[in-house]
Amino acid sequence: MSTAKKDYKRITTRSLIEMKANNEKISMLTAYDFTMARIVDSAGVDVILVGDSASNVMAGHETTLPITLDQMIYHASGVVRAISRALVVVDLPFGSYQSDSKEALRSSIRIMKESGAHAVKMEGGSEIKESIKKILNAGIPVMGHLGLTPQSIYKFGTYTVRAKEDAEAEKLMEDAQLLERIGCFALVLEKIPAALAERVAKSISIPVIGIGAGGGVDGQVLVIHDMLGMNNEFSPRFLRRYMNLYDDMTGAISQYVSDVKSMDFPNASEQY
């Protein structure tokens, strides 16, 4: 028997747990600025992630490592001003939480106070549990992130699928259960086998959001620039492009250049 979907006026951490309990899938997309966030929120997305992927798609870096806490707060502030419904989660950037739980708390407090965001996201399991506990004890919601963790790219040396071997899969399962037990409200699983992701989602009561983790989880997340086809160089198996904005935007801009040079723009009706 299907359960009627609840009409959430504002999405909270509690809303996501209710959605999982009611078998309603959770939609999540990234956004990094006011204009894009306004569009994403208006379209009904449940969670907006201000991801450290801004380091790649907004700043052009090869990895997520260079982006700073100040830059994450800048991006998050614009997103928060745009939304009226979605839950806004902000990535804690590399270096702001891994080595010191007190530094992790200071970083999280700055994000919450200076941007107005609703939660933070952190990569890792048992190795960062003290940082997670300290943040949670301050009343700040935490979303976990396991599997492929891009901030550890130089440790792994590759963006290949994670947890294919039994030992790593078992560690991931244990970490997921740990994150639930210490109080995380949700978990992202990135680029792991679909069967394992489904096992994790069924083993814990908090929502599991997948990216490259199959359809057996509680929701999905993609980078907005990828799913809209603004980035034509990134084509992993898990990506579905819903538009091809790279070609559309290039064509429109080329037409503008042509119209300016031919003096077609502005025409008589476009002048004062």
Side-chain angles (χ1 to χ4, degrees):
M1 180 181 296
S2 63
T3 303
K5 292 182 180 180
K6 183 175 178 180
D7 183 18
Y8 293 101
K9 301 302 181 185
R10 288 296 297 262
I11 300 294
T12 65
T13 57
R14 182 65 186 172
S15 306
L16 301 184
I17 293 170
E18 290 179 355
M19 291 167 75
K20 172 164 182 161
N22 293 330
N23 295 314
E24 179 181 351
K25 297 296 186 181
I26 297 163
S27 60
M28 181 169 163
L29 281 173
T30 64
Y32 315 99
D33 64 82
F34 177 90
T35 301
M36 189 69 85
R38 174 64 58 88
I39 296 169
V40 172
D41 186 62
S42 298
V45 166
D46 300 313
V47 184
I48 294 178
L49 173 63
V50 184
D52 57 4
S53 47
S55 180
N56 310 108
V57 299
M58 301 298 287
H61 294 296
E62 183 179 3
T63 72
T64 61
L65 274 62
I67 199 163
T68 67
L69 183 60
D70 285 341
Q71 289 168 334
M72 290 301 301
I73 290 170
Y74 168 80
H75 286 294
S77 299
V79 169
V80 170
R81 286 191 288 269
I83 62 98
S84 61
R85 178 181 179 274
L87 181 80
V88 178
V89 180
V90 181
D91 271 336
L92 281 170
F94 176 73
S96 68
Y97 65 93
Q98 287 93 341
S99 63
D100 180 0
S101 61
K102 292 181 180 179
E103 180 67 21
L105 177 58
R106 286 192 291 268
S107 300
S108 300
I109 289 173
R110 282 199 61 200
I111 285 175
M112 301 296 283
K113 287 179 68 71
E114 297 178 36
S115 76
H118 308 133
V120 298
K121 182 168 77 65
M122 306 167 67
E123 295 182 7
S126 59
E127 63 275 10
I128 61 164
K129 68 179 181 180
E130 296 307 319
S131 291
I132 295 174
K133 286 179 180 179
K134 192 171 285 289
I135 295 167
L136 290 168
N137 285 340
I140 299 172
V142 175
M143 175 181 282
H145 183 147
L146 299 173
L148 176 64
T149 47
Q151 290 180 9
S152 302
I153 182 56
Y154 291 126
K155 172 185 175 182
F156 294 142
T158 176
Y159 287 106
T160 190
V161 176
R162 303 303 311 173
K164 292 190 292 185
E165 303 298 327
D166 289 345
E168 188 177 353
E170 185 61 29
K171 167 103 170 35
L172 187 144
M173 179 68 75
E174 291 173 356
D175 278 341
Q177 293 170 349
L178 169 68
L179 293 178
E180 176 189 30
R181 190 163 60 248
I182 64 179
C184 290
F185 72 90
L187 171 64
V188 168
L189 292 180
E190 181 168 357
K191 212 168 182 183
I192 68 170
L196 174 60
E198 185 172 2
R199 279 180 54 213
V200 172
K202 289 179 177 178
S203 75
I204 59 178
S205 61
I206 60 174
V208 175
I209 313 298
I211 176 167
V217 291
D218 305 304
Q220 300 293 330
V221 59
L222 286 174
V223 172
I224 188 75
H225 291 67
D226 298 337
M227 63 85 66
L228 291 178
M230 298 174 73
N231 176 3
N232 66 350
E233 298 173 350
F234 184 64
S235 299
R237 181 189 300 184
F238 64 78
L239 174 61
R240 180 181 296 182
R241 285 197 174 90
Y242 285 80
M243 297 187 73
N244 187 6
L245 282 186
Y246 184 91
D247 288 347
D248 292 344
M249 293 173 72
T250 302
I253 294 167
S254 295
Q255 186 62 55
Y256 166 75
V257 171
S258 176
D259 290 350
V260 169
K261 292 187 177 295
S262 68
M263 300 179 65
D264 181 68
F265 175 79
N267 60 31
S269 66
E270 295 164 333
Q271 303 181 52
Y272 296 100

